[in-house]
Amino acid sequence: MSTTDSHGHGPFIAAIDQGTTSSRCIVFDRDGRIVSVDQKEHEQIFPKPGWVEHDAAEIWRNVQEVVAGAVEKAGITAADVKAIGITNQRETTLMWDKNTGEPVHNAIVWQDTRTDGLCKELGRNVGQDRFRRETGLPLASYFSGPKVRWLLDNVEGLRERAERGDILFGTMDSWVIWNLTGGVDGGVHVTDVTNASRTMLMNLRSLAWDERILSSMEIPAAVLPEIRSSAEVYGTAKGGALAGVPVASALGDQQAALFGQTCFDQGEAKSTYGTGTFMLMNTGDEPVQSYNGLLTTVGYRIGDQKPVYALEGSIAVTGSLVQWMRDQMGLIKSAAEIETLASSVEDNGGAYFVPAFSGLFAPYWRSDARGVIAGLTRYVTKAHIARAVLEATAWQTREITDAMTKDSGVELTALKVDGGMTSNNLLMQTLSDFLDAPVVRPMVAETTCLGAAYAAGLAVGFWPDTDALRANWRRAAEWTPRMDADTRDREYKSWLKAVERTMGWIEDEE
Ligand SMILES: Nc1ncnc2c1ncn2[C@@H]1O[C@H](COP(=O)(O)OP(=O)(O)O)[C@@H](O)[C@H]1O
Ligand SMILES: O=P(O)(O)OC[C@H](O)CO
């Protein structure tokens, strides 16, 4: 029997967000309002400089716990939940034994740079942009394909087991869905088009695995999940707090945020400010090739409708630079304190901070870049550096919006933002100043989970169509530009000069 809780708005949709630093589950009502949240962090494993791993068994335990926690906090039962949506950190790569459910190695995280050498070698053999037309992606250690190849080459006996058909590959959506739907006991091995579009192994137009790329990367097709749409019922949860509930959506977290921000029309864009920052623009039902350093990716696909594509600007280091200021430099005690410190001065005092800690992602894709603080004089204080830290996020966004305008021909009229860093008012004002465009934040800042919930709700008819979802979007805050054009242009030139200084720091042989 179905119950309604104190919120009185049942039934509900549950979304699971398996993120880089934590897993969370959020229960939403029909108005897209949050009913309950549960969240748990997992260990970040750094076996060597540049290597980042996750324990997938720990992640699955945490997912089960946060699902149970969110259901309990909402005061509901599985019978009240009409569907489960999945969203996840993208690219992070796992292989496991389908007979035992045991991972063969820790998951290799998207930030991990161990495949740099492999990518360079592939680039030399087949050309740096050899796969861009088919996959929309440059050859870079960020994506899953090279990580799969690394596992096959480095885990003893794995290639033979994979060729025998005993091994499954998946990004974290696949891992969560396989376990949720029964694991060794009949779990479904699927991924969605958005996650598949980050592997470098899927053809963007056919939305199928690309046999020529699989053969260049020496990856056996037997390990691959079935590619499905982002909003359809893949199976039913077996066991756990949501046993019996249909699992009805999967989207990479940045695509889920695009969906949660209701960017359903061509030209609409959002930017999510977390550990890294990812801006995606809906480009309609045709993939747009980037000539300016952006990625072409799948935005979402609802059931058997046409896919919607997106251009993406990915920035590796934004919120994590604030964490670095707190944890490694000890200049602030909390992330929020950066705003107080940066607000104590009028400007950056001439300092520019380019956080190319793991090379530069969009629009440069340079793995040989490393971080610099440029323009230092004795005048510069830690407050100026704090300001330069915030400005780095805003300038990197500006570089991406410039590239988006060049690639899509669409001028930015306003930017929808979300993510942890958007609670920083100074950063949001700076962003609006540097972009010379309004910046708007919605009422529900948890757009990633909301997008997964929306897609799952559409799949089971909980919401009738995307118009109903759009009606739920409400503006919570807006910042408008206050900077004069001369200052903006002068500052932008200095920023670009500082970016130049980061390039070529790592020599090939290093
Ligand atoms: N007030 C703030 N100012 C600047 N950065 C912040 C602030 N609050 C949080 N952050 C940064 O935002 C990030 C957390 O945002 P979140 O959206 O939860 O990230 P993720 O989903 O990537 O884990 C952290 O890197 C943190 O340093
Ligand atoms: O888990 P997040 O929010 O850090 O997002 C990671 C991105 O999906 C990486 O491409």
Side-chain angles (χ1 to χ4, degrees):
M1 200 187 77
S2 183
T3 57
T4 47
D5 70 341
S6 55
H7 298 271
H9 296 295
F12 306 96
I13 302 284
I16 298 170
D17 176 5
Q18 200 306 290
T20 309
T21 53
S22 72
S23 303
R24 71 186 101 179
C25 179
I26 302 188
V27 174
F28 291 95
D29 69 12
R30 205 181 290 276
D31 296 326
R33 282 191 300 235
I34 293 174
V35 176
S36 67
V37 184
D38 202 35
Q39 178 167 0
K40 192 158 186 200
E41 291 195 0
H42 55 265
E43 192 189 349
Q44 304 295 313
I45 305 165
F46 305 111
K48 293 187 187 180
W51 291 30
V52 190
E53 299 181 353
H54 290 159
D55 173 353
E58 179 194 5
I59 283 181
W60 170 235
R61 280 195 305 276
N62 289 0
V63 167
Q64 291 169 279
E65 272 181 43
V66 297
V67 167
V71 167
E72 193 191 325
K73 285 182 190 172
I76 59 175
T77 70
D80 301 307
V81 179
K82 294 300 158 208
I84 306 169
I86 310 293
T87 179
N88 56 288
Q89 54 168 323
R90 306 167 305 167
E91 302 95 12
T92 297
T93 297
L94 184 71
M95 296 182 89
W96 68 97
D97 187 316
K98 73 174 185 195
N99 307 304
T100 63
E102 295 288 329
V104 301
H105 190 275
N106 280 335
I108 304 181
V109 178
W110 59 275
Q111 299 143 323
D112 188 294
T113 55
R114 80 185 64 187
T115 58
D116 256 356
L118 182 60
C119 290
K120 286 209 181 80
E121 188 191 314
L122 280 166
R124 274 193 295 271
N125 295 343
V126 298
Q128 187 61 31
D129 267 353
R130 162 64 185 78
F131 302 129
R132 199 188 253 280
R133 205 164 44 86
E134 287 89 352
T135 68
L137 311 173
L139 252 174
S141 60
Y142 179 25
F143 307 109
S144 315
K147 299 183 200 288
V148 176
R149 165 72 181 271
W150 188 93
L151 287 168
L152 289 166
D153 288 350
N154 289 279
V155 176
E156 213 188 316
L158 186 60
R159 187 170 285 284
E160 292 70 38
R161 289 164 70 195
E163 278 161 1
R164 270 205 312 270
D166 289 334
I167 299 296
L168 304 179
F169 147 70
T171 38
M172 299 318 278
D173 53 320
S174 301
W175 174 241
V176 170
I177 295 171
W178 187 78
N179 279 295
L180 204 52
T181 55
V184 290
D185 191 14
V188 292
H189 186 217
V190 295
T191 188
D192 90 298
V193 277
T194 67
N195 278 293
S197 74
R198 318 297 295 192
T199 59
M200 275 205 102
L201 304 174
M202 187 188 79
N203 186 297
L204 265 187
R205 287 182 183 276
S206 67
L207 303 181
W209 301 116
D210 188 302
E211 281 174 22
R212 283 192 310 170
I213 295 176
L214 290 176
S215 108
S216 320
M217 293 228 193
E218 298 173 25
I219 295 174
V223 302
L224 301 171
E226 184 188 349
I227 302 172
R228 304 275 288 267
S229 82
S230 323
E232 61 174 289
V233 176
Y234 312 119
T236 301
K238 291 212 176 78
L242 290 178
V245 179
V247 182
S249 78
L251 298 107
D253 53 10
Q254 302 307 324
Q255 282 87 342
L258 185 76
F259 208 80
Q261 286 270 26
T262 67
C263 294
F264 301 132
D265 284 340
Q266 195 171 343
E268 287 189 295
K270 70 86 203 179
S271 196
T272 301
Y273 292 86
T275 314
T277 286
F278 302 88
M279 179 172 167
L280 273 77
M281 177 188 273
N282 178 328
T283 60
D285 57 17
E286 284 294 322
V288 173
Q289 175 81 33
S290 174
Y291 297 98
N292 295 284
L294 302 175
L295 309 179
T296 309
T297 199
V298 181
Y300 56 88
R301 183 180 194 185
I302 303 172
D304 54 12
Q305 294 177 20
K306 279 185 170 177
V308 169
Y309 292 90
L311 276 170
E312 171 173 325
S314 332
I315 309 170
V317 177
T318 54
S320 53
L321 179 60
V322 176
Q323 285 170 354
W324 181 85
M325 289 281 284
R326 184 193 61 195
D327 303 338
Q328 263 99 325
M329 294 295 105
L331 290 174
I332 46 174
K333 286 195 194 65
S334 68
E337 225 180 271
I338 192 129
E339 183 169 4
T340 322
L341 184 57
S343 301
S344 68
V345 285
E346 284 290 299
D347 56 30
N348 61 20
Y352 300 83
F353 195 153
V354 188
F357 291 174
S358 37
L360 285 170
F361 281 16
Y364 302 102
W365 300 103
R366 290 282 296 256
S367 55
D368 63 351
R370 286 298 178 272
V372 298
I373 305 177
L376 291 179
T377 60
R378 278 206 70 179
Y379 174 73
V380 171
T381 65
K382 63 180 181 178
H384 294 122
I385 301 290
R387 202 148 182 132
V389 160
L390 298 181
E391 291 184 354
T393 293
W395 282 130
Q396 289 184 98
T397 309
R398 167 69 194 264
E399 290 199 64
I400 281 165
T401 58
D402 284 357
M404 291 257 174
T405 302
K406 285 187 206 146
D407 276 334
S408 68
V410 178
E411 284 284 342
L412 184 77
T413 48
L415 184 65
K416 288 177 167 179
V417 297
D418 50 70
M421 291 185 94
T422 62
S423 60
N424 188 316
N425 272 299
L426 176 61
L427 172 61
M428 293 299 105
Q429 182 58 50
T430 306
L431 188 59
S432 176
D433 288 343
F434 290 2
L435 299 180
D436 195 23
V439 168
V440 288
R441 195 180 62 204
M443 206 73 95
V444 177
E446 297 283 358
T447 53
T448 300
C449 274
L450 184 61
Y454 278 168
L458 285 179
V460 298
F462 185 76
W463 286 291
D465 51 34
T466 51
D467 288 345
L469 305 179
R470 228 185 240 292
N472 285 343
W473 196 95
R474 281 176 213 90
R475 182 171 53 195
E478 174 161 356
W479 294 265
T480 49
R482 289 194 205 139
M483 184 176 256
D484 67 84
D486 286 348
T487 311
R488 179 168 41 244
D489 293 349
R490 197 179 57 242
E491 287 293 305
Y492 195 15
K493 273 200 193 107
S494 300
W495 162 262
L496 292 172
K497 217 154 69 177
V499 170
E500 279 301 312
R501 303 286 193 272
T502 68
M503 310 277 186
W505 183 259
I506 299 292
E507 306 282 343
D508 225 15
E509 56 274 20
E510 288 179 64

